Amino acid sequence: MFLAIKEILHNKTRYLLVIFTVFLISYMVFFLTSLAVGLARQNRTAVDQWDAKTVVVSSYANKSLTVSSIPEAKYQKYLTDKDVAPVGQMTVVSQLRNSSNKINTNVFGVDWNDYLSPKLTEGRLPQTNREVVVDDSLKNDDIKLGSQIKINGSDDYYKVVGLTKDNSFFTIPIIFTNMKTFRTLKYGSSQVKNISALVVRNDKKITETGLTQITIKDLINHIPGYTAQVMVFSFMIIAMIVITFLIIGIFMYIITIQKISLYGVMRAQGIRTSKIIESLFYQILILTAAGAALALIFMAITQLFLPKTVPFYSDWLAYLVLTLAIMVMAVLGGSLSIQRVLKIDPLSAIEGE
Amino acid sequence: MSLIEMINVNRQYGSGRTLVEALHPTNFSLNSGEFIGIYGPSGSGKTTFLTILGLLQSPTQGKILVNGKDTTKMNSRTKTDLRFDQFGFVLQASNLIPFLTVKEQFKLVDKLSTSKKEKMNRNTLLHLLDLQSVVNNYPSNLSGGERQRAAIARALYNNPNIILADEPTASLDSSRAQQVVEFLTQIAHESQKGVIMITHDTRLLAATDHVYEMRDGYLNQQR
Ligand SMILES: Nc1ncnc2c1ncn2[C@@H]1O[C@H](COP(=O)(O)OP(=O)(O)OP(=O)(O)O)[C@@H](O)[C@H]1O
Ligand SMILES: [Mg+2]
């Protein structure tokens, strides 16, 4: 540790360069991760809030909530279980009264006294068919408590009486209505008693012809584009981490080569190779930790300045795991130099003549 | 028993037509309390001789005994530890670590040292070699002479039994050179160390107990 720190302090520019490189890579990794997590979350926060185990959808729907539609005869008997709740979903375009701005939204029809009823951050639950609860990300479109909104060009206005947060589905914010309003919007009449799905919170198995019970995970993976998105981001992040291995490896190798006569002096003085290698790894750990720490600080700052509309989510646990991954890669990169250090000849100490 | 003994050691560089016999088969021994001086023309093999003796390189043939133990079969780590413990080198090139101040060079020895062996008194060394004013300097901020003296101080600090010095006085003025030689004499005689000094300055040989001449890879005792 003594040797490692002394050397870093004495050759500040050289090692600052390494820290800076690690900083850039870690920052990129953290940033991409935040976007990936942010986007993934926007796809699924509503579903995550259900905190349920399985969902029952129409078999023909290919695990898609949007396509599924279940008639009353098929689901009514299951509703006696309080851990089974109906949900209606449709994608709509909303418009604020007196505004021409069209906003993509989801309508989720629920029963207000079910466990699927949204958790409010402000306001109250609706009491009439014309009252709704909306996700607070719609504030970005100026929709707030008391706002009047039109849905799919309807003649009626719906009044926002409650706000909820982290409620979006395939990146689109949700408007919660009661079942009756949902049916009117989707089927043109509240007489059609269809729902989109049954959400099951316990381990109940539901087998009904024409219906399929799928896990929440399965449901999310079948959100169009979700798996592809997650994969693209994962590959980018993994690629960056592997690059860390190469960059640190090459950097440390070059530095090692530059230090051969110094190592010769150390070897001549009777300093063990193991000490030299130990020092090399201490340096790598110090440099990567410093670079990553700097990146974390910058992430915190970035977050303050990023527009709210960017799907960005700071997942500190993920940052920690990624930092460890980067450090492991850096250590692996450093091991490329071990071979070279082992070959150092104490005689190279006198080659400086 | 000799501190170090060289038995039929030779050293060749290169092979075939470029083969150089830098050191012809040589027998040599150094006893404790002995101060030996070696002189000879440039390229005659003095450094080669000294580095083989100091286990910095292996001989082509023959063996080196340190405290009676054959070093031929020792692994590199054992030799390294032996170097740390038993040898003090003052090499022709600087043997200081560039990113440590003079003081920190000593601190490193303290940190690495595992044996209970007593160190030389740091202040005495610094005083004697007139280094007190530069203890916080890095090697690059020392004059050639200061660097050489710091290297001597570093070599002696771990209280080695064998001191190998390759032209330790090369960049010193004659009075300082004389002082260093006196100091080496004192260490050899009073602390019962074995000291070998290579020098071009034959005047400095007066203080030594024995003198050898190196010529074309042959080592001959002069007195
Ligand atoms: N690594 C090497 N490879 C090939 N030849 C070498 C090597 N080291 C030394 N020699 C040769 O061995 C001979 C002895 O070299 P050495 O360094 O021992 O001389 P020296 O007496 O110390 O000279 P100087 O007084 O200039 O320091 C020289 O001819 C030199 O060219
Ligand atoms: Mg020489």
Side-chain angles (χ1 to χ4, degrees), chain A residues 73-136:
Chain A
K74 298 252 183 191
Y75 70 81
Q76 192 60 45
K77 56 182 169 258
Y78 299 107
L79 294 183
T80 49
D81 187 337
K82 67 171 177 28
D83 286 328
V84 178
V87 67
Q89 184 274 341
M90 74 182 292
T91 313
V92 298
V93 173
S94 308
Q95 234 170 314
L96 196 56
R97 185 174 204 151
N98 301 327
S99 159
S100 57
N101 183 26
K102 297 191 170 68
I103 310 152
N104 284 321
T105 43
N106 279 296
V107 161
F108 268 34
V110 296
D111 281 333
W112 301 122
N113 40 20
D114 258 344
Y115 73 89
L116 295 186
S117 177
K119 290 178 197 71
L120 298 182
T121 53
E122 260 181 85
R124 56 170 175 84
L125 284 174
Q127 284 156 358
T128 71
N129 293 340
R130 292 287 152 77
E131 291 181 341
V132 295
V133 169
V134 304
D135 183 58
D136 63 3

Coordinates of all heavy atoms in Angstrom, one line a residue, chain A residues 73-136:
Chain A
A73 N -68.9 -14.4 -18.1 CA -69.2 -15.8 -17.8 C -67.9 -16.6 -17.4 O -67.9 -17.5 -16.6 CB -69.8 -16.5 -18.9
K74 N -66.8 -16.1 -17.9 CA -65.5 -16.9 -17.7 C -64.8 -16.4 -16.4 O -64.0 -17.1 -15.9 CB -64.6 -16.6 -18.9 CG -65.1 -17.1 -20.2 CD -64.3 -18.3 -20.6 CE -64.8 -18.8 -22.0 NZ -64.3 -20.1 -22.4
Y75 N -65.1 -15.2 -15.9 CA -64.4 -14.7 -14.8 C -65.2 -14.5 -13.5 O -64.6 -14.5 -12.4 CB -63.6 -13.5 -15.1 CG -64.4 -12.2 -15.3 CD1 -64.9 -11.5 -14.2 CD2 -64.8 -11.7 -16.5 CE1 -65.7 -10.4 -14.3 CE2 -65.6 -10.6 -16.7 CZ -66.0 -9.9 -15.6 OH -66.8 -8.8 -15.7
Q76 N -66.5 -14.3 -13.6 CA -67.3 -13.9 -12.5 C -67.1 -14.7 -11.2 O -66.9 -14.2 -10.2 CB -68.8 -13.9 -12.9 CG -69.7 -13.2 -11.9 CD -69.3 -11.7 -11.8 OE1 -69.1 -11.0 -12.7 NE2 -69.3 -11.3 -10.5
K77 N -67.0 -16.1 -11.5 CA -67.0 -17.0 -10.3 C -65.7 -16.8 -9.5 O -65.6 -17.3 -8.3 CB -67.2 -18.4 -10.7 CG -66.2 -18.9 -11.8 CD -66.5 -20.3 -12.2 CE -65.8 -20.8 -13.4 NZ -66.5 -20.8 -14.7
Y78 N -64.6 -16.3 -10.1 CA -63.4 -16.2 -9.4 C -63.2 -15.0 -8.5 O -62.3 -14.8 -7.7 CB -62.2 -16.2 -10.3 CG -62.1 -17.5 -11.2 CD1 -62.5 -17.5 -12.5 CD2 -61.7 -18.7 -10.6 CE1 -62.4 -18.6 -13.3 CE2 -61.7 -19.8 -11.3 CZ -62.0 -19.8 -12.7 OH -62.0 -21.0 -13.4
L79 N -64.2 -14.0 -8.7 CA -64.1 -12.8 -8.0 C -64.4 -12.9 -6.5 O -64.1 -11.9 -5.7 CB -65.0 -11.7 -8.6 CG -64.5 -11.3 -10.0 CD1 -65.4 -10.2 -10.6 CD2 -63.1 -10.9 -10.1
T80 N -64.9 -14.0 -6.0 CA -65.2 -14.1 -4.6 C -63.9 -14.1 -3.8 O -63.9 -13.8 -2.6 CB -66.0 -15.5 -4.4 OG1 -65.3 -16.5 -5.1 CG2 -67.4 -15.4 -4.9
D81 N -62.8 -14.6 -4.4 CA -61.5 -14.6 -3.8 C -61.0 -13.1 -3.8 O -60.8 -12.5 -4.8 CB -60.6 -15.5 -4.6 CG -59.2 -15.7 -3.9 OD1 -58.9 -14.8 -3.0 OD2 -58.6 -16.7 -4.1
K82 N -60.7 -12.6 -2.6 CA -60.2 -11.2 -2.6 C -58.8 -11.0 -3.1 O -58.4 -9.9 -3.4 CB -60.3 -10.6 -1.2 CG -59.4 -11.2 -0.2 CD -59.4 -10.4 1.1 CE -58.5 -11.1 2.2 NZ -57.3 -11.8 1.8
D83 N -58.1 -12.1 -3.4 CA -56.8 -12.0 -4.0 C -56.8 -12.1 -5.5 O -55.8 -12.1 -6.2 CB -55.9 -13.1 -3.4 CG -55.4 -12.8 -2.0 OD1 -55.3 -11.6 -1.7 OD2 -55.2 -13.7 -1.2
V84 N -58.0 -12.2 -6.0 CA -58.2 -12.2 -7.5 C -59.0 -10.9 -7.9 O -60.1 -10.7 -7.3 CB -59.0 -13.4 -7.9 CG1 -59.2 -13.4 -9.5 CG2 -58.2 -14.7 -7.5
A85 N -58.4 -10.1 -8.7 CA -59.1 -8.8 -9.1 C -59.1 -8.6 -10.6 O -58.1 -9.0 -11.3 CB -58.3 -7.7 -8.4
P86 N -60.2 -8.0 -11.1 CA -60.3 -7.8 -12.5 C -59.6 -6.4 -12.9 O -59.5 -5.5 -12.1 CB -61.8 -7.7 -12.7 CG -62.3 -7.1 -11.4 CD -61.4 -7.6 -10.3
V87 N -59.0 -6.4 -14.1 CA -58.5 -5.2 -14.6 C -58.8 -5.0 -16.0 O -58.9 -6.0 -16.8 CB -56.9 -5.1 -14.4 CG1 -56.2 -6.1 -15.2 CG2 -56.4 -3.7 -14.7
G88 N -59.1 -3.8 -16.4 CA -59.4 -3.5 -17.8 C -58.3 -2.6 -18.3 O -57.9 -1.7 -17.6
Q89 N -57.8 -2.9 -19.5 CA -56.7 -2.0 -20.0 C -57.1 -1.6 -21.4 O -57.5 -2.5 -22.2 CB -55.4 -2.7 -20.0 CG -54.2 -1.9 -20.4 CD -53.9 -1.9 -21.9 OE1 -54.4 -2.8 -22.6 NE2 -53.2 -0.9 -22.4
M90 N -56.9 -0.4 -21.8 CA -56.9 0.0 -23.2 C -56.0 1.2 -23.4 O -55.7 2.0 -22.5 CB -58.3 0.4 -23.6 CG -58.9 1.7 -23.1 SD -60.6 2.0 -23.7 CE -60.4 2.2 -25.4
T91 N -55.4 1.3 -24.6 CA -54.6 2.5 -24.9 C -55.4 3.6 -25.5 O -56.2 3.3 -26.4 CB -53.5 2.0 -25.9 OG1 -52.9 0.8 -25.4 CG2 -52.4 3.0 -26.0
V92 N -55.3 4.8 -25.0 CA -56.1 5.9 -25.5 C -55.3 7.1 -25.7 O -54.1 7.2 -25.3 CB -57.2 6.2 -24.4 CG1 -58.1 5.1 -24.2 CG2 -56.5 6.7 -23.1
V93 N -55.9 8.1 -26.3 CA -55.3 9.4 -26.5 C -56.1 10.4 -25.7 O -57.3 10.4 -25.8 CB -55.3 9.8 -28.0 CG1 -54.8 11.3 -28.1 CG2 -54.4 8.9 -28.8
S94 N -55.4 11.1 -24.8 CA -56.1 12.0 -23.9 C -55.8 13.5 -24.3 O -54.7 13.7 -24.9 CB -55.7 11.8 -22.5 OG -55.8 10.5 -22.1
Q95 N -56.7 14.3 -23.9 CA -56.5 15.7 -24.3 C -57.0 16.6 -23.1 O -58.1 16.3 -22.6 CB -57.3 16.1 -25.5 CG -56.5 16.7 -26.6 CD -57.4 16.7 -27.9 OE1 -58.1 15.7 -28.2 NE2 -57.4 17.9 -28.5
L96 N -56.2 17.6 -22.8 CA -56.6 18.5 -21.7 C -57.7 19.4 -22.3 O -57.6 19.8 -23.5 CB -55.4 19.3 -21.2 CG -55.4 20.0 -19.9 CD1 -55.8 19.1 -18.8 CD2 -54.0 20.6 -19.7
R97 N -58.6 19.8 -21.5 CA -59.7 20.7 -22.0 C -59.0 22.0 -22.5 O -58.1 22.5 -21.9 CB -60.6 21.1 -20.8 CG -61.8 21.9 -21.3 CD -62.8 22.2 -20.1 NE -64.1 22.4 -20.7 CZ -65.2 22.1 -20.1 NH1 -65.2 21.5 -18.9 NH2 -66.4 22.4 -20.6
N98 N -59.4 22.5 -23.6 CA -58.9 23.7 -24.2 C -57.4 23.6 -24.7 O -56.7 24.5 -24.8 CB -59.0 24.9 -23.3 CG -60.4 25.2 -22.9 OD1 -61.3 24.9 -23.7 ND2 -60.6 25.7 -21.7
S99 N -57.0 22.3 -24.9 CA -55.6 22.1 -25.4 C -55.7 21.2 -26.6 O -56.5 20.3 -26.6 CB -54.8 21.6 -24.3 OG -53.6 21.0 -24.9
S100 N -54.8 21.4 -27.6 CA -54.8 20.6 -28.7 C -53.7 19.5 -28.6 O -53.6 18.6 -29.5 CB -54.5 21.4 -30.0 OG -53.3 22.1 -29.8
N101 N -53.0 19.5 -27.5 CA -51.9 18.6 -27.3 C -52.5 17.2 -27.0 O -53.2 17.0 -26.0 CB -51.1 19.1 -26.1 CG -49.9 18.2 -25.8 OD1 -49.4 17.5 -26.7 ND2 -49.5 18.1 -24.6
K102 N -52.2 16.2 -27.9 CA -52.7 14.8 -27.7 C -51.7 14.0 -27.0 O -50.5 14.0 -27.3 CB -53.0 14.2 -29.1 CG -54.1 15.0 -29.8 CD -54.5 14.2 -31.0 CE -55.8 14.8 -31.7 NZ -55.5 16.1 -32.3
I103 N -52.1 13.3 -25.9 CA -51.2 12.6 -25.0 C -51.5 11.1 -25.0 O -52.7 10.7 -24.8 CB -51.3 13.1 -23.6 CG1 -51.2 14.7 -23.6 CG2 -50.2 12.5 -22.7 CD1 -51.9 15.3 -22.4
N104 N -50.5 10.3 -25.3 CA -50.7 8.9 -25.2 C -50.8 8.4 -23.8 O -50.0 8.7 -23.0 CB -49.5 8.1 -25.9 CG -49.6 8.2 -27.4 OD1 -50.7 8.1 -28.0 ND2 -48.4 8.3 -28.0
T105 N -51.9 7.7 -23.5 CA -52.1 7.3 -22.1 C -52.7 5.9 -22.2 O -53.2 5.4 -23.2 CB -53.1 8.2 -21.4 OG1 -54.2 8.5 -22.2 CG2 -52.4 9.5 -20.9
N106 N -52.7 5.2 -21.0 CA -53.4 4.0 -20.8 C -54.6 4.3 -19.9 O -54.5 5.1 -19.0 CB -52.5 3.0 -20.0 CG -51.5 2.3 -20.9 OD1 -51.9 1.5 -21.8 ND2 -50.3 2.5 -20.6
V107 N -55.7 3.5 -20.2 CA -56.8 3.5 -19.2 C -56.7 2.2 -18.5 O -56.6 1.2 -19.2 CB -58.1 3.8 -19.9 CG1 -59.2 3.3 -18.9 CG2 -58.3 5.2 -20.2
F108 N -56.7 2.2 -17.2 CA -56.8 1.0 -16.4 C -58.1 1.1 -15.6 O -58.3 2.0 -14.8 CB -55.6 0.9 -15.4 CG -54.4 0.1 -15.9 CD1 -54.1 0.2 -17.2 CD2 -53.7 -0.6 -15.0 CE1 -53.0 -0.5 -17.7 CE2 -52.6 -1.3 -15.5 CZ -52.2 -1.3 -16.8
G109 N -59.0 0.2 -16.0 CA -60.2 0.1 -15.2 C -60.1 -0.8 -14.0 O -59.6 -1.9 -14.2
V110 N -60.4 -0.3 -12.8 CA -60.3 -1.1 -11.6 C -61.5 -0.9 -10.7 O -62.2 0.1 -10.9 CB -59.0 -0.8 -10.8 CG1 -57.8 -1.1 -11.6 CG2 -59.0 0.7 -10.4
D111 N -61.7 -1.8 -9.7 CA -62.6 -1.5 -8.7 C -61.9 -0.8 -7.6 O -60.9 -1.3 -7.1 CB -63.2 -2.8 -8.2 CG -64.3 -3.4 -9.1 OD1 -64.9 -2.5 -9.8 OD2 -64.5 -4.6 -9.2
W112 N -62.5 0.3 -7.1 CA -61.8 1.2 -6.2 C -61.5 0.5 -4.8 O -60.6 0.8 -4.1 CB -62.5 2.5 -5.9 CG -62.7 3.3 -7.2 CD1 -63.9 3.7 -7.7 CD2 -61.7 3.8 -8.1 NE1 -63.7 4.4 -8.9 CE2 -62.3 4.5 -9.1 CE3 -60.3 3.7 -8.1 CZ2 -61.6 5.1 -10.2 CZ3 -59.6 4.3 -9.1 CH2 -60.2 5.0 -10.1
N113 N -62.4 -0.5 -4.5 CA -62.1 -1.2 -3.3 C -61.4 -2.5 -3.4 O -61.3 -3.3 -2.5 CB -63.4 -1.4 -2.5 CG -64.6 -1.8 -3.4 OD1 -64.3 -2.2 -4.5 ND2 -65.8 -1.6 -3.0
D114 N -60.7 -2.7 -4.6 CA -59.9 -3.9 -4.8 C -58.4 -3.6 -4.4 O -58.1 -2.4 -4.3 CB -59.8 -4.2 -6.3 CG -60.7 -5.4 -6.6 OD1 -61.1 -6.1 -5.7 OD2 -61.0 -5.6 -7.8
Y115 N -57.6 -4.6 -4.4 CA -56.2 -4.3 -4.1 C -55.5 -3.6 -5.3 O -54.4 -3.1 -5.2 CB -55.5 -5.5 -3.6 CG -55.1 -6.6 -4.6 CD1 -54.0 -6.5 -5.4 CD2 -56.0 -7.6 -4.9 CE1 -53.7 -7.5 -6.3 CE2 -55.8 -8.6 -5.8 CZ -54.6 -8.5 -6.5 OH -54.3 -9.5 -7.4
L116 N -56.1 -3.6 -6.5 CA -55.5 -3.0 -7.6 C -55.8 -1.5 -7.7 O -55.2 -0.8 -8.5 CB -56.0 -3.6 -8.9 CG -55.7 -5.1 -9.2 CD1 -56.1 -5.5 -10.6 CD2 -54.2 -5.3 -9.1
S117 N -56.6 -1.0 -6.7 CA -56.9 0.4 -6.7 C -55.5 1.2 -6.4 O -54.8 0.8 -5.5 CB -57.8 0.6 -5.5 OG -58.1 2.0 -5.4
P118 N -55.3 2.2 -7.2 CA -53.9 2.9 -7.1 C -53.7 3.6 -5.7 O -54.6 4.0 -5.1 CB -54.0 3.9 -8.2 CG -55.5 4.2 -8.4 CD -56.1 2.9 -8.1
K119 N -52.5 3.6 -5.3 CA -52.1 4.3 -4.1 C -52.0 5.7 -4.4 O -51.3 6.1 -5.3 CB -50.7 3.8 -3.6 CG -50.8 2.3 -3.0 CD -49.4 1.9 -2.6 CE -49.4 0.4 -2.5 NZ -49.5 -0.4 -3.8
L120 N -52.7 6.5 -3.6 CA -52.7 8.0 -4.0 C -51.6 8.7 -3.3 O -51.2 8.4 -2.2 CB -54.1 8.6 -3.5 CG -55.3 8.0 -4.1 CD1 -56.6 8.7 -3.6 CD2 -55.3 8.1 -5.7
T121 N -51.0 9.7 -4.0 CA -50.1 10.6 -3.4 C -50.7 11.9 -3.1 O -50.2 12.7 -2.3 CB -48.9 10.8 -4.4 OG1 -49.4 11.3 -5.6 CG2 -48.1 9.6 -4.6
E122 N -51.8 12.2 -3.8 CA -52.5 13.5 -3.6 C -54.0 13.2 -3.9 O -54.3 12.3 -4.7 CB -52.0 14.5 -4.5 CG -51.0 15.5 -3.9 CD -50.6 16.5 -5.0 OE1 -51.3 17.5 -5.1 OE2 -49.5 16.3 -5.6
G123 N -54.9 14.0 -3.4 CA -56.3 14.0 -3.8 C -57.0 12.8 -3.1 O -56.7 12.3 -2.0
R124 N -58.1 12.3 -3.8 CA -58.9 11.3 -3.2 C -59.3 10.3 -4.3 O -59.0 10.5 -5.5 CB -60.2 11.9 -2.6 CG -61.0 12.7 -3.6 CD -62.3 13.2 -3.1 NE -63.0 14.1 -4.1 CZ -63.7 13.7 -5.1 NH1 -63.8 12.4 -5.4 NH2 -64.2 14.5 -5.9
L125 N -60.0 9.2 -3.9 CA -60.5 8.3 -4.9 C -61.7 8.8 -5.6 O -62.5 9.6 -4.9 CB -60.8 6.9 -4.3 CG -59.6 6.1 -3.9 CD1 -60.0 4.8 -3.1 CD2 -58.8 5.7 -5.2
P126 N -62.0 8.5 -6.8 CA -63.2 9.0 -7.5 C -64.5 8.5 -6.9 O -64.5 7.4 -6.3 CB -63.0 8.4 -8.9 CG -61.6 8.1 -9.1 CD -61.1 7.7 -7.7
Q127 N -65.5 9.3 -7.0 CA -66.8 8.9 -6.5 C -67.9 8.8 -7.6 O -68.9 8.2 -7.4 CB -67.3 9.9 -5.4 CG -66.6 9.7 -4.1 CD -66.5 11.0 -3.2 OE1 -67.0 12.0 -3.7 NE2 -65.9 10.8 -2.1
T128 N -67.6 9.3 -8.7 CA -68.5 9.2 -9.9 C -67.8 8.6 -11.1 O -66.6 8.4 -11.1 CB -69.1 10.6 -10.3 OG1 -68.0 11.3 -10.9 CG2 -69.5 11.4 -9.1
N129 N -68.6 8.3 -12.1 CA -68.1 7.7 -13.3 C -67.2 8.7 -14.1 O -66.5 8.4 -15.0 CB -69.2 7.3 -14.2 CG -70.0 6.1 -13.7 OD1 -69.4 5.4 -12.8 ND2 -71.2 5.9 -14.1
R130 N -67.3 10.0 -13.7 CA -66.6 11.0 -14.5 C -65.3 11.5 -13.7 O -64.7 12.5 -14.1 CB -67.5 12.2 -14.7 CG -68.6 12.0 -15.7 CD -68.0 11.8 -17.1 NE -68.9 11.0 -17.9 CZ -70.1 11.3 -18.4 NH1 -70.5 12.5 -18.2 NH2 -70.8 10.5 -19.1
E131 N -65.0 10.8 -12.7 CA -63.8 11.1 -11.9 C -62.7 10.1 -12.1 O -63.0 8.9 -12.2 CB -64.1 11.3 -10.4 CG -65.0 12.6 -10.2 CD -65.3 12.8 -8.8 OE1 -65.2 11.8 -7.9 OE2 -65.7 13.9 -8.4
V132 N -61.4 10.6 -12.2 CA -60.3 9.6 -12.5 C -59.1 10.0 -11.6 O -59.0 11.0 -11.0 CB -59.9 9.7 -14.0 CG1 -61.0 9.2 -14.9 CG2 -59.4 11.1 -14.3
V133 N -58.2 9.0 -11.5 CA -56.9 9.1 -10.9 C -55.9 9.0 -11.9 O -56.0 8.1 -12.8 CB -56.7 8.1 -9.8 CG1 -55.3 8.1 -9.3 CG2 -57.7 8.2 -8.6
V134 N -54.9 9.9 -12.0 CA -53.9 9.8 -13.0 C -52.5 9.7 -12.4 O -52.2 10.1 -11.3 CB -53.9 11.0 -14.0 CG1 -55.3 11.1 -14.6 CG2 -53.5 12.3 -13.3
D135 N -51.6 9.2 -13.3 CA -50.1 9.1 -12.8 C -49.6 10.5 -12.9 O -49.8 11.3 -13.8 CB -49.4 8.2 -13.8 CG -47.9 8.0 -13.4 OD1 -47.7 7.6 -12.2 OD2 -47.0 8.4 -14.2
D136 N -48.7 10.8 -11.8 CA -48.3 12.2 -11.7 C -47.3 12.6 -12.8 O -46.9 13.8 -12.9 CB -47.8 12.5 -10.3 CG -46.5 11.6 -9.9 OD1 -46.1 10.9 -10.8 OD2 -46.1 11.8 -8.8

